[in-house]
Amino acid sequence: MAAEGPAGQPPSRSKRADAQRNRETVLTAAAAVFVTAGVDAPIRQIAARAGVGMATIYRHFPTRADLVTAVYQHQIEACAEAGPNLLAEADTPLAALHQWVDLFVDFLVTKHGLADALQSDSDRFAALHAYFLDRLLPVCAQLLDAAAESDDIKPGVQPYELMRGIGNLCIGRDNDPRYDPRRLVALLLQGLRRPQTS
């Protein structure tokens, strides 16, 4: 049943919009804090970055696991929605693919900490992993197909293999500040390019 406002009226649309904005702000702040301080970062640090009170965070996310799960889903959605937008706006399908892979790497760098935090709840993690594949594999496939159709890359690159390869290249970043996965991911993408004929 929906919460009611004064005199039994449903909450105003602006209040619902404010609550949604607060939720989005918290998720964005939490993702940024998790990258730098890990998923065990103090809630007050996330609240400060989001510019909200701690009570706002607990109202939306009663437990840390709820917050971690929501951040994961939020980032998956942002990455999924970015693919078609980049394809429509970029100069070439190859440029769109490169930009999307940059976003995907950003997501993966955060995801390692999130995945570790969710290991204690294997059912929750398994559901998130399935959601991750369901949402992102078709987007990656669309970008690869477009780049292949424009003769920018070799045909036949499988989205799962590419995403898995990028994920494996991102693993070492957590514990070695000298390691920059983006350089190796750039080399991986360069290897997809179709040789230019003179």
Side-chain angles (χ1 to χ4, degrees):
M1 181 184 237
E4 293 188 343
Q9 297 300 312
S12 71
R13 186 169 292 159
S14 65
K15 283 187 179 177
R16 287 195 301 269
D18 286 346
Q20 183 60 30
R21 269 194 302 275
N22 280 345
R23 187 176 191 278
E24 295 290 315
T25 300
V26 167
L27 291 174
T28 300
V33 169
F34 288 167
V35 170
T36 58
V39 293
D40 293 324
I43 295 297
R44 67 180 173 277
Q45 188 177 346
I46 296 169
R49 187 177 183 106
V52 301
M54 288 175 58
T56 298
I57 294 181
Y58 286 118
R59 186 163 55 249
H60 289 288
F61 311 105
T63 69
R64 185 174 295 271
D66 293 331
L67 178 60
V68 169
T69 301
V71 167
Y72 197 173
Q73 290 174 330
H74 181 66
Q75 291 194 305
I76 290 171
E77 283 306 308
C79 205
E81 290 167 8
N85 294 336
L86 290 170
L87 206 49
E89 296 165 7
D91 292 336
T92 65
L94 182 62
L97 177 63
H98 276 266
Q99 291 169 31
W100 186 80
V101 166
D102 280 344
L103 292 174
F104 184 57
V105 170
D106 286 342
F107 167 72
L108 290 177
V109 166
T110 305
K111 173 184 170 289
H112 289 299
L114 297 176
D116 291 343
L118 292 168
Q119 287 304 320
S120 60
D121 188 345
S122 58
D123 289 343
R124 186 188 295 245
F125 180 71
L128 279 173
H129 186 67
Y131 179 67
F132 166 84
L133 293 176
D134 288 346
R135 292 293 287 135
L136 297 187
L137 277 177
V139 176
C140 186
Q142 181 184 17
L143 289 159
L144 287 170
D145 288 346
E149 285 168 15
S150 66
D151 285 334
D152 287 329
I153 67 170
K154 303 165 192 169
V157 179
Q158 297 302 309
Y160 179 79
E161 290 175 342
L162 178 62
M163 288 170 58
R164 181 76 183 263
I166 292 169
N168 287 340
L169 290 174
C170 289
I171 289 172
R173 188 246 182 214
D174 288 344
N175 50 21
D176 187 350
R178 299 169 302 169
Y179 176 65
D180 181 5
R182 290 184 189 282
R183 291 215 304 262
L184 289 179
V185 170
L187 287 173
L188 174 62
L189 291 179
Q190 190 177 336
L192 301 182
R193 295 289 299 267
R194 184 186 286 278
Q196 297 299 312
T197 55
S198 52

